[in-house]
Amino acid sequence: MPKSITQDKLADWLNRISQKHQLWVPQDEAGICLLAPYQPGADFNLERIPQISAKGVLFPQSESMLKYRYTKDPDNPEQTDVSLEET
């Protein structure tokens, strides 16, 4: 069965959640709605959809998967060895 919470109890509920978990809420910043870490007492906007997906909060923008290095053979400069290292 769906449950709802009244507007006057929303801040208390979010404060309790943020004490145990990292909580992100939509906030207006310079006219743009973005997801930002919840701060007790901060204004948040539940009327607008954030312009950037929540995926950016959950996953890094980039991730290093491996490192590589080219090494020239001093005896044979035309031969190059490649070494790979997982990160």
Side-chain angles (χ1 to χ4, degrees):
M1 172 179 246
K3 294 185 178 186
S4 62
I5 188 166
T6 60
Q7 185 74 28
D8 60 327
K9 294 182 181 179
L10 181 61
D12 290 335
W13 182 67
L14 292 175
N15 287 336
R16 286 196 314 266
I17 292 173
S18 68
Q19 290 173 0
K20 294 183 181 180
H21 305 283
Q22 188 175 23
L23 181 62
W24 292 72
V25 294
Q27 292 182 341
D28 288 325
E29 295 181 17
I32 299 172
C33 186
L34 301 172
L35 288 172
Y38 176 75
Q39 299 291 327
D43 290 330
F44 52 93
N45 187 343
L46 298 178
E47 300 297 320
R48 293 179 60 193
I49 297 173
Q51 292 181 320
I52 298 176
S53 166
K55 180 180 173 184
V57 173
L58 300 173
F59 299 104
Q61 293 292 320
S62 63
E63 183 176 0
S64 177
M65 299 178 76
L66 62 93
K67 293 180 182 180
Y68 62 92
R69 180 186 311 240
Y70 290 109
T71 309
K72 288 192 175 189
D73 185 352
D75 297 330
N76 185 1
E78 293 185 11
Q79 184 174 358
T80 304
D81 290 327
V82 178
S83 60
L84 299 175
E85 178 185 335
E86 291 183 37
T87 56

